[in-house]
mmCIF file of all heavy atoms in Angstrom:
data_model
loop_
_atom_site.group_PDB
_atom_site.id
_atom_site.type_symbol
_atom_site.label_atom_id
_atom_site.label_comp_id
_atom_site.label_asym_id
_atom_site.label_seq_id
_atom_site.Cartn_x
_atom_site.Cartn_y
_atom_site.Cartn_z
ATOM 1 N N GLU C 27 70.598 76.441 43.260
ATOM 2 C CA GLU C 27 69.532 75.521 42.899
ATOM 3 C C GLU C 27 69.319 75.609 41.401
ATOM 4 O O GLU C 27 69.254 76.708 40.840
ATOM 5 C CB GLU C 27 68.252 75.853 43.650
ATOM 6 C CG GLU C 27 68.360 75.561 45.133
ATOM 7 C CD GLU C 27 67.044 75.734 45.860
ATOM 8 O OE1 GLU C 27 66.064 76.181 45.241
ATOM 9 O OE2 GLU C 27 67.014 75.417 47.056
ATOM 10 N N ILE C 28 69.226 74.443 40.771
ATOM 11 C CA ILE C 28 69.114 74.371 39.319
ATOM 12 C C ILE C 28 67.971 73.426 38.978
ATOM 13 O O ILE C 28 67.857 72.352 39.570
ATOM 14 C CB ILE C 28 70.421 73.842 38.703
ATOM 15 C CG1 ILE C 28 71.591 74.741 39.101
ATOM 16 C CG2 ILE C 28 70.304 73.733 37.193
ATOM 17 C CD1 ILE C 28 72.931 74.175 38.751
ATOM 18 N N ALA C 29 67.154 73.803 38.024
ATOM 19 C CA ALA C 29 66.046 72.953 37.590
ATOM 20 C C ALA C 29 66.443 72.166 36.351
ATOM 21 O O ALA C 29 67.166 72.657 35.496
ATOM 22 C CB ALA C 29 64.826 73.814 37.279
ATOM 23 N N GLY C 30 65.984 70.939 36.283
ATOM 24 C CA GLY C 30 66.203 70.118 35.095
ATOM 25 C C GLY C 30 67.311 69.099 35.265
ATOM 26 O O GLY C 30 68.355 69.406 35.810
ATOM 27 N N ARG C 31 67.047 67.879 34.798
ATOM 28 C CA ARG C 31 68.065 66.836 34.869
ATOM 29 C C ARG C 31 69.115 67.066 33.795
ATOM 30 O O ARG C 31 68.837 67.639 32.751
ATOM 31 C CB ARG C 31 67.417 65.454 34.740
ATOM 32 C CG ARG C 31 66.834 65.179 33.392
ATOM 33 C CD ARG C 31 65.964 63.921 33.341
ATOM 34 N NE ARG C 31 66.613 62.735 33.794
ATOM 35 C CZ ARG C 31 67.060 61.770 32.996
ATOM 36 N NH1 ARG C 31 66.921 61.880 31.695
ATOM 37 N NH2 ARG C 31 67.617 60.703 33.495
ATOM 38 N N ARG C 32 70.327 66.639 34.084
ATOM 39 C CA ARG C 32 71.426 66.805 33.133
ATOM 40 C C ARG C 32 72.563 65.898 33.518
ATOM 41 O O ARG C 32 72.637 65.413 34.638
ATOM 42 C CB ARG C 32 71.890 68.253 33.087
ATOM 43 C CG ARG C 32 72.352 68.698 34.458
ATOM 44 C CD ARG C 32 72.614 70.168 34.676
ATOM 45 N NE ARG C 32 71.911 71.183 33.996
ATOM 46 C CZ ARG C 32 70.730 71.695 34.338
ATOM 47 N NH1 ARG C 32 70.105 71.226 35.391
ATOM 48 N NH2 ARG C 32 70.188 72.667 33.677
ATOM 49 N N ARG C 33 73.476 65.703 32.601
ATOM 50 C CA ARG C 33 74.684 64.918 32.880
ATOM 51 C C ARG C 33 75.665 65.776 33.672
ATOM 52 O O ARG C 33 75.638 67.002 33.591
ATOM 53 C CB ARG C 33 75.329 64.439 31.587
ATOM 54 C CG ARG C 33 74.458 63.464 30.839
ATOM 55 C CD ARG C 33 75.224 62.698 29.781
ATOM 56 N NE ARG C 33 74.328 61.868 28.999
ATOM 57 C CZ ARG C 33 73.877 60.678 29.386
ATOM 58 N NH1 ARG C 33 74.232 60.195 30.546
ATOM 59 N NH2 ARG C 33 73.069 59.993 28.625
ATOM 60 N N VAL C 34 76.531 65.105 34.419
ATOM 61 C CA VAL C 34 77.522 65.800 35.243
ATOM 62 C C VAL C 34 78.368 66.734 34.384
ATOM 63 O O VAL C 34 78.598 67.894 34.757
ATOM 64 C CB VAL C 34 78.414 64.774 35.989
ATOM 65 C CG1 VAL C 34 79.622 65.442 36.613
ATOM 66 C CG2 VAL C 34 77.595 64.046 37.045
ATOM 67 N N ALA C 35 78.831 66.287 33.223
ATOM 68 C CA ALA C 35 79.670 67.120 32.355
ATOM 69 C C ALA C 35 78.943 68.395 31.945
ATOM 70 O O ALA C 35 79.548 69.472 31.889
ATOM 71 C CB ALA C 35 80.097 66.326 31.119
ATOM 72 N N GLN C 36 77.643 68.294 31.677
ATOM 73 C CA GLN C 36 76.851 69.463 31.285
ATOM 74 C C GLN C 36 76.733 70.434 32.456
ATOM 75 O O GLN C 36 76.854 71.646 32.283
ATOM 76 C CB GLN C 36 75.470 69.029 30.809
ATOM 77 C CG GLN C 36 74.601 70.176 30.351
ATOM 78 C CD GLN C 36 73.211 69.723 29.940
ATOM 79 O OE1 GLN C 36 72.871 68.537 29.995
ATOM 80 N NE2 GLN C 36 72.383 70.673 29.540
ATOM 81 N N LEU C 37 76.508 69.911 33.660
ATOM 82 C CA LEU C 37 76.409 70.760 34.844
ATOM 83 C C LEU C 37 77.706 71.536 35.052
ATOM 84 O O LEU C 37 77.693 72.745 35.272
ATOM 85 C CB LEU C 37 76.095 69.918 36.080
ATOM 86 C CG LEU C 37 76.126 70.671 37.415
ATOM 87 C CD1 LEU C 37 75.019 71.718 37.471
ATOM 88 C CD2 LEU C 37 76.020 69.693 38.577
ATOM 89 N N LEU C 38 78.834 70.844 34.970
ATOM 90 C CA LEU C 38 80.125 71.512 35.155
ATOM 91 C C LEU C 38 80.333 72.609 34.109
ATOM 92 O O LEU C 38 80.777 73.710 34.431
ATOM 93 C CB LEU C 38 81.270 70.498 35.109
ATOM 94 C CG LEU C 38 81.324 69.513 36.274
ATOM 95 C CD1 LEU C 38 82.429 68.481 36.043
ATOM 96 C CD2 LEU C 38 81.517 70.226 37.597
ATOM 97 N N ALA C 39 79.988 72.312 32.862
ATOM 98 C CA ALA C 39 80.136 73.312 31.794
ATOM 99 C C ALA C 39 79.259 74.539 32.066
ATOM 100 O O ALA C 39 79.708 75.676 31.897
ATOM 101 C CB ALA C 39 79.786 72.688 30.443
ATOM 102 N N GLU C 40 78.026 74.312 32.505
ATOM 103 C CA GLU C 40 77.115 75.423 32.792
ATOM 104 C C GLU C 40 77.618 76.287 33.942
ATOM 105 O O GLU C 40 77.365 77.485 33.984
ATOM 106 C CB GLU C 40 75.719 74.900 33.116
ATOM 107 C CG GLU C 40 75.006 74.330 31.915
ATOM 108 C CD GLU C 40 73.676 73.697 32.268
ATOM 109 O OE1 GLU C 40 73.221 73.825 33.413
ATOM 110 O OE2 GLU C 40 73.088 73.047 31.383
ATOM 111 N N LEU C 41 78.325 75.666 34.875
ATOM 112 C CA LEU C 41 78.873 76.400 36.013
ATOM 113 C C LEU C 41 80.243 77.011 35.708
ATOM 114 O O LEU C 41 80.824 77.679 36.551
ATOM 115 C CB LEU C 41 78.980 75.471 37.232
ATOM 116 C CG LEU C 41 77.647 74.992 37.801
ATOM 117 C CD1 LEU C 41 77.871 73.932 38.865
ATOM 118 C CD2 LEU C 41 76.852 76.155 38.370
ATOM 119 N N GLY C 42 80.758 76.764 34.501
ATOM 120 C CA GLY C 42 82.053 77.318 34.120
ATOM 121 C C GLY C 42 83.219 76.617 34.797
ATOM 122 O O GLY C 42 84.281 77.211 34.984
#
Side-chain angles (χ1 to χ4, degrees):
E27 291 187 355
I28 302 170
R31 68 191 305 255
R32 59 191 31 84
R33 295 196 186 279
V34 168
Q36 182 183 0
L37 173 65
L38 292 175
E40 289 175 8
L41 293 172

